[in-house]
Protein backbone atom coordinates (compact mmCIF):
# COMPACT_ATOMS: atom_id res chain seq x y z
CA UNK A 1 0.00 0.00 0.00
CA UNK A 2 1.22 3.54 -0.67
CA UNK A 3 0.06 7.07 0.07
CA UNK A 4 2.87 8.56 -2.03
CA UNK A 5 1.82 12.00 -3.24
CA UNK A 6 4.80 12.63 -5.53
CA UNK A 7 5.56 9.68 -7.73
CA UNK A 8 7.86 11.24 -10.31
CA UNK A 9 11.14 10.02 -8.91
CA UNK A 10 10.42 6.39 -8.17
CA UNK A 11 12.91 6.58 -5.29
CA UNK A 12 12.80 8.03 -1.81
CA UNK A 13 16.43 8.96 -1.09
CA UNK A 14 17.37 9.04 2.58
CA UNK A 15 18.13 12.53 3.94
CA UNK A 16 21.81 13.13 4.79
CA UNK A 17 24.32 14.62 5.20
CA UNK A 18 22.39 17.67 3.94
CA UNK A 19 19.75 16.81 6.49
CA UNK A 20 16.91 18.91 7.84
CA UNK A 21 17.71 17.73 11.33
CA UNK A 22 14.85 15.50 12.44
CA UNK A 23 12.79 15.68 9.27
CA UNK A 24 11.59 12.44 7.69
CA UNK A 25 9.31 12.69 4.67
CA UNK A 26 8.99 9.23 3.15
CA UNK A 27 8.09 6.41 5.55
CA UNK A 28 7.68 2.65 5.22
CA UNK A 29 5.76 0.57 7.77
CA UNK A 30 7.11 -2.98 7.88
CA UNK A 31 4.50 -5.33 9.32
CA UNK A 32 3.64 -9.01 9.51
CA UNK A 33 0.49 -10.06 7.61
CA UNK A 34 -1.44 -10.50 10.87
CA UNK A 35 -0.65 -6.88 11.83
CA UNK A 36 -1.83 -5.21 8.62
CA UNK A 37 -4.91 -3.73 10.30
CA UNK A 38 -2.68 -1.94 12.80
CA UNK A 39 -0.46 -0.74 9.97
CA UNK A 40 -3.52 0.70 8.24
CA UNK A 41 -4.46 2.44 11.49
CA UNK A 42 -1.02 4.06 11.62
CA UNK A 43 -1.41 5.31 8.05
CA UNK A 44 -4.82 6.77 8.93
CA UNK A 45 -3.45 8.32 12.12
CA UNK A 46 -0.26 10.01 10.94
CA UNK A 47 -0.08 9.55 7.18
CA UNK A 48 -1.05 13.14 6.39
CA UNK A 49 2.13 14.37 8.11
CA UNK A 50 4.45 12.88 5.48
CA UNK A 51 4.94 13.05 1.75
CA UNK A 52 4.38 9.30 1.53
CA UNK A 53 3.81 6.40 3.88
CA UNK A 54 3.88 2.88 2.45
CA UNK A 55 3.12 -0.51 4.00
CA UNK A 56 5.55 -3.35 3.30
CA UNK A 57 4.77 -6.92 4.30
CA UNK A 58 7.56 -8.41 6.37
CA UNK A 59 9.86 -11.08 4.98
CA UNK A 60 13.42 -11.90 5.95
CA UNK A 61 15.08 -9.55 3.44
CA UNK A 62 12.54 -6.73 3.40
CA UNK A 63 14.83 -4.17 5.07
CA UNK A 64 17.73 -5.04 2.79
CA UNK A 65 15.48 -4.87 -0.28
CA UNK A 66 14.24 -1.37 0.49
CA UNK A 67 17.28 0.01 2.35
CA UNK A 68 17.99 3.59 1.26
CA UNK A 69 14.60 4.11 -0.39
CA UNK A 70 12.93 5.59 2.69
CA UNK A 71 13.84 8.18 5.30
CA UNK A 72 12.49 6.04 8.12
CA UNK A 73 11.15 2.53 8.69
CA UNK A 74 8.42 1.92 11.25
CA UNK A 75 8.89 -1.67 12.37
CA UNK A 76 5.58 -3.04 13.63
CA UNK A 77 7.42 -5.82 15.43
CA UNK A 78 9.68 -6.67 18.35
CA UNK A 79 12.78 -4.48 18.52
CA UNK A 80 15.02 -7.57 18.43
CA UNK A 81 13.74 -8.56 14.99
CA UNK A 82 14.38 -5.12 13.54
CA UNK A 83 17.83 -4.96 15.12
CA UNK A 84 18.93 -8.38 13.86
CA UNK A 85 17.63 -7.76 10.34
CA UNK A 86 19.25 -4.33 9.94
CA UNK A 87 22.50 -4.52 11.95
CA UNK A 88 24.59 -5.61 8.96
CA UNK A 89 23.15 -2.79 6.84
CA UNK A 90 24.15 0.06 9.15
CA UNK A 91 27.04 2.14 7.84
CA UNK A 92 26.82 5.83 8.76
CA UNK A 93 24.22 7.60 10.87
CA UNK A 94 23.96 10.44 8.35
CA UNK A 95 23.24 8.08 5.48
CA UNK A 96 21.31 5.24 7.12
CA UNK A 97 17.51 5.31 7.25
CA UNK A 98 16.04 5.85 10.70
CA UNK A 99 14.20 2.99 12.40
CA UNK A 100 11.42 3.24 14.97
CA UNK A 101 9.72 0.11 16.29
CA UNK A 102 6.23 -0.03 17.76
CA UNK A 103 4.22 -2.87 19.26
CA UNK A 104 0.88 -4.08 17.90
CA UNK A 105 -1.09 -2.37 20.68
CA UNK A 106 0.67 0.96 19.94
CA UNK A 107 1.86 1.15 23.54
CA UNK A 108 5.54 1.98 22.93
CA UNK A 109 7.30 3.78 20.07
CA UNK A 110 11.03 3.10 20.34
CA UNK A 111 13.60 4.79 18.07
CA UNK A 112 16.50 2.36 17.68
CA UNK A 113 18.58 4.12 15.00
CA UNK A 114 18.55 7.62 13.55
CA UNK A 115 16.85 9.27 16.50
CA UNK A 116 17.87 12.72 15.30
CA UNK A 117 17.18 11.91 11.67
CA UNK A 118 13.57 10.83 11.70
CA UNK A 119 12.98 8.17 14.35
CA UNK A 120 12.33 10.61 17.22
CA UNK A 121 10.02 12.59 14.97
CA UNK A 122 8.04 9.45 14.07
CA UNK A 123 7.88 8.41 17.74
CA UNK A 124 6.50 11.84 18.62
CA UNK A 125 3.87 11.50 15.91
CA UNK A 126 2.90 8.02 17.13
CA UNK A 127 2.36 9.57 20.56
CA UNK A 128 -0.72 11.25 19.08
CA UNK A 129 -2.12 7.70 18.71
CA UNK A 130 -1.41 6.85 22.33
CA UNK A 131 2.08 5.35 22.07
CA UNK A 132 4.69 6.38 24.62
CA UNK A 133 7.82 7.64 22.80
CA UNK A 134 10.80 5.92 24.47
CA UNK A 135 13.65 8.18 23.34
CA UNK A 136 17.19 7.48 24.47
CA UNK A 137 19.14 10.16 22.60
CA UNK A 138 20.95 12.19 25.24
CA UNK A 139 19.46 15.63 24.54
CA UNK A 140 15.88 14.34 24.53
CA UNK A 141 16.50 12.26 27.66
CA UNK A 142 17.73 15.42 29.39
CA UNK A 143 14.81 17.44 27.94
CA UNK A 144 17.16 19.71 25.98
CA UNK A 145 17.12 20.91 22.39
CA UNK A 146 20.04 19.35 20.51
CA UNK A 147 21.59 21.02 17.48
CA UNK A 148 19.74 18.78 15.01
CA UNK A 149 16.44 19.79 16.59
CA UNK A 150 17.52 23.44 16.53
CA UNK A 151 18.34 23.04 12.84
CA UNK A 152 14.83 21.77 12.17
CA UNK A 153 13.28 24.65 14.10
CA UNK A 154 15.40 27.19 12.21
CA UNK A 155 14.56 25.61 8.83
CA UNK A 156 18.22 24.80 8.31
CA UNK A 157 20.28 21.67 7.80
CA UNK A 158 23.50 20.40 9.36
CA UNK A 159 26.42 20.59 6.93
CA UNK A 160 29.11 18.78 8.96
CA UNK A 161 27.37 15.99 10.82
CA UNK A 162 30.36 14.64 12.74
CA UNK A 163 30.62 17.89 14.70
CA UNK A 164 27.32 17.27 16.46
CA UNK A 165 28.92 14.84 18.92
CA UNK A 166 30.84 17.73 20.49
CA UNK A 167 28.14 20.36 20.19
CA UNK A 168 25.40 18.16 21.62
CA UNK A 169 27.67 17.40 24.59
CA UNK A 170 27.92 21.16 25.03
CA UNK A 171 24.12 21.35 24.93
CA UNK A 172 23.93 18.78 27.72
CA UNK A 173 26.40 20.82 29.79
CA UNK A 174 24.56 24.11 29.07
CA UNK A 175 27.69 25.44 27.38
CA UNK A 176 26.64 25.86 23.76
CA UNK A 177 24.72 29.13 23.99
CA UNK A 178 22.70 30.63 21.12
CA UNK A 179 23.53 29.82 17.52
CA UNK A 180 25.70 32.48 15.92
CA UNK A 181 24.36 33.79 12.63
CA UNK A 182 26.54 35.22 9.86
CA UNK A 183 25.46 37.11 6.76
CA UNK A 184 27.62 36.76 3.65
CA UNK A 185 29.45 37.04 1.47
CA UNK A 186 31.87 35.63 4.02
CA UNK A 187 34.33 32.76 4.37
CA UNK A 188 34.21 30.83 7.64
CA UNK A 189 36.92 28.58 9.05
CA UNK A 190 35.74 26.18 11.76
CA UNK A 191 37.16 23.39 13.91
CA UNK A 192 35.71 19.89 14.16
CA UNK A 193 33.69 20.84 17.25
CA UNK A 194 31.75 23.61 15.49
CA UNK A 195 28.45 22.61 13.88
CA UNK A 196 27.59 24.52 10.72
CA UNK A 197 23.91 24.98 9.86
CA UNK A 198 22.99 26.13 6.37
CA UNK A 199 19.75 27.97 5.87
CA UNK A 200 17.07 26.47 3.62
CA UNK A 201 15.55 29.82 2.64
CA UNK A 202 16.09 33.58 2.82
CA UNK A 203 15.93 35.54 6.05
CA UNK A 204 12.59 36.52 7.55
CA UNK A 205 11.54 37.55 11.04
CA UNK A 206 11.23 35.70 14.33
CA UNK A 207 8.30 35.83 16.74
CA UNK A 208 9.47 36.12 20.35
CA UNK A 209 6.68 34.72 22.48
CA UNK A 210 5.72 34.40 26.14
CA UNK A 211 2.40 33.54 27.75
CA UNK A 212 0.50 32.75 30.87
CA UNK A 213 0.32 29.06 31.70
CA UNK A 214 -2.37 27.25 29.73
CA UNK A 215 -2.97 29.85 27.00
CA UNK A 216 -4.82 28.12 24.20
CA UNK A 217 -3.91 27.71 20.57
CA UNK A 218 -6.44 30.28 19.33
CA UNK A 219 -5.01 32.93 21.66
CA UNK A 220 -1.56 32.36 20.16
CA UNK A 221 -2.94 32.50 16.63
CA UNK A 222 -4.79 35.75 17.30
CA UNK A 223 -1.78 37.33 19.01
CA UNK A 224 0.61 36.41 16.21
CA UNK A 225 -1.78 37.52 13.46
CA UNK A 226 -2.38 40.90 15.10
CA UNK A 227 1.31 41.48 15.82
CA UNK A 228 2.29 40.73 12.23
CA UNK A 229 -0.56 42.82 10.82
CA UNK A 230 0.52 45.83 12.88
CA UNK A 231 4.07 45.42 11.55
CA UNK A 232 2.79 45.09 7.95
CA UNK A 233 3.97 41.48 7.80
CA UNK A 234 2.26 38.12 7.35
CA UNK A 235 2.94 34.56 8.44
CA UNK A 236 5.03 33.82 5.34
CA UNK A 237 7.58 36.31 6.66
CA UNK A 238 8.09 34.32 9.88
CA UNK A 239 11.03 31.91 10.10
CA UNK A 240 10.36 30.45 13.54
CA UNK A 241 9.09 31.13 17.06
CA UNK A 242 11.49 31.85 19.94
CA UNK A 243 10.76 31.56 23.64
CA UNK A 244 12.37 30.71 26.98
CA UNK A 245 12.96 27.20 28.28
CA UNK A 246 10.41 27.76 31.04
CA UNK A 247 7.75 28.16 28.34
CA UNK A 248 9.04 25.53 25.92
CA UNK A 249 6.32 23.02 26.80
CA UNK A 250 3.31 25.32 26.44
CA UNK A 251 0.91 23.09 24.51
CA UNK A 252 -1.03 25.97 22.97
CA UNK A 253 2.12 27.57 21.57
CA UNK A 254 3.49 24.29 20.23
CA UNK A 255 0.18 23.44 18.57
CA UNK A 256 -0.09 26.92 17.05
CA UNK A 257 3.46 26.75 15.70
CA UNK A 258 2.79 23.30 14.20
CA UNK A 259 -0.33 24.57 12.45
CA UNK A 260 1.69 27.44 10.99
CA UNK A 261 4.50 25.09 9.97
CA UNK A 262 7.01 26.80 12.27
CA UNK A 263 9.72 25.45 14.55
CA UNK A 264 10.17 26.60 18.15
CA UNK A 265 13.59 27.50 19.59
CA UNK A 266 13.89 27.80 23.39
CA UNK A 267 16.60 29.87 25.10
CA UNK A 268 18.00 29.37 28.59
CA UNK A 269 17.56 32.10 31.22
CA UNK A 270 21.26 33.03 31.03
CA UNK A 271 21.02 33.69 27.29
CA UNK A 272 17.90 35.81 27.63
CA UNK A 273 19.59 37.91 30.31
CA UNK A 274 22.23 38.87 27.72
CA UNK A 275 19.54 40.15 25.34
CA UNK A 276 17.07 41.81 27.67
CA UNK A 277 14.53 44.00 25.87
CA UNK A 278 13.69 47.66 26.50
CA UNK A 279 10.23 47.12 28.00
CA UNK A 280 10.01 46.54 31.80
CA UNK A 281 8.88 43.02 32.69
CA UNK A 282 6.86 41.82 35.65
CA UNK A 283 8.45 38.38 35.35
CA UNK A 284 11.83 39.86 36.24
CA UNK A 285 10.40 41.36 39.40
CA UNK A 286 8.50 38.22 40.38
CA UNK A 287 10.73 35.30 39.34
CA UNK A 288 13.96 36.81 38.06
CA UNK A 289 13.43 36.04 34.37
CA UNK A 290 13.77 38.84 31.81
CA UNK A 291 10.75 39.47 29.60
CA UNK A 292 10.67 36.37 27.39
CA UNK A 293 9.03 37.85 24.29
CA UNK A 294 11.52 40.66 23.65
CA UNK A 295 14.62 38.88 24.92
CA UNK A 296 13.99 35.76 22.81
CA UNK A 297 13.16 37.85 19.71
CA UNK A 298 16.45 39.76 20.11
CA UNK A 299 18.52 36.66 20.91
CA UNK A 300 17.18 34.79 17.89
CA UNK A 301 17.60 37.55 15.31
CA UNK A 302 20.54 37.49 12.91
CA UNK A 303 21.75 40.89 14.16
CA UNK A 304 19.95 40.81 17.52
CA UNK A 305 17.68 43.61 16.34
CA UNK A 306 14.19 44.18 17.79
CA UNK A 307 11.76 45.07 15.03
CA UNK A 308 8.63 45.44 17.20
CA UNK A 309 8.47 45.73 20.99
CA UNK A 310 6.28 43.35 22.92
CA UNK A 311 2.51 43.62 22.95
CA UNK A 312 0.22 41.68 25.26
CA UNK A 313 -2.96 40.13 23.90
CA UNK A 314 -6.01 38.93 25.76
CA UNK A 315 -3.99 39.10 29.00
CA UNK A 316 -2.53 35.78 27.92
CA UNK A 317 0.08 35.97 25.13
CA UNK A 318 2.99 38.40 24.73
CA UNK A 319 4.64 38.80 21.32
CA UNK A 320 7.62 40.74 19.98
CA UNK A 321 9.28 40.60 16.56
CA UNK A 322 13.00 40.17 15.92
CA UNK A 323 14.64 40.98 12.61
Amino acid sequence: MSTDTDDDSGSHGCKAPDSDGEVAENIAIVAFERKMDTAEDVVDGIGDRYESIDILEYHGDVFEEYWGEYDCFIGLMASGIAMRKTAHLLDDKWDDPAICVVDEELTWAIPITGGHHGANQVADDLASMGAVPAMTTASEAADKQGVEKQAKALDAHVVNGDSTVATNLAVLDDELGPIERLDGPKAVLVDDDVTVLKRNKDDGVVLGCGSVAGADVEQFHAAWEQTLDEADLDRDDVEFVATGTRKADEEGMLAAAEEWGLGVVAFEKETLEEFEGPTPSRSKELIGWPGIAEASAIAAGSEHDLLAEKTRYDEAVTVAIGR
Side-chain angles (χ1 to χ4, degrees), residues 119-130:
N120 287 353
Q121 170 200 350
V122 168
D124 270 335
D125 287 342
L126 288 168
S128 67
M129 300 183 67

Side-chain angles (χ1 to χ4, degrees), residues 226-234 237 321:
Q226 187 170 337
T227 301
L228 292 170
D229 186 62
E230 291 173 354
D232 197 25
L233 298 166
D234 59 41
D237 295 309
I321 302 177

Side-chain angles (χ1 to χ4, degrees), residues 62-106:
V62 64
F63 289 105
E64 188 164 1
E65 181 178 345
Y66 291 96
W67 196 254
E69 293 192 16
Y70 294 92
D71 301 328
C72 183
F73 291 101
I74 299 176
L76 194 57
M77 61 188 63
S79 59
I81 298 173
M83 292 171 66
R84 285 193 298 272
K85 292 300 183 181
T86 60
H88 67 291
L89 302 172
L90 296 172
D91 179 46
D92 181 274
K93 77 171 188 176
W94 291 94
D95 293 323
D96 296 330
I99 302 170
C100 180
V101 295
V102 62
D103 61 289
E104 188 172 6
E105 300 301 321
L106 301 183

Side-chain angles (χ1 to χ4, degrees), residues 21 56 63 70 114 116 146 160-161 173 183 215 234 236 250 294 307:
L56 308 175
F63 289 105
Y70 294 92
H116 286 154
N160 52 338
D173 293 334
D183 292 324
D234 59 41
D236 289 337
E250 282 292 334
E294 288 185 348
L307 182 63

Side-chain angles (χ1 to χ4, degrees), residues 25 51 181 199:
E25 296 175 344
E51 287 189 5
R181 297 174 57 156
R199 303 187 51 75

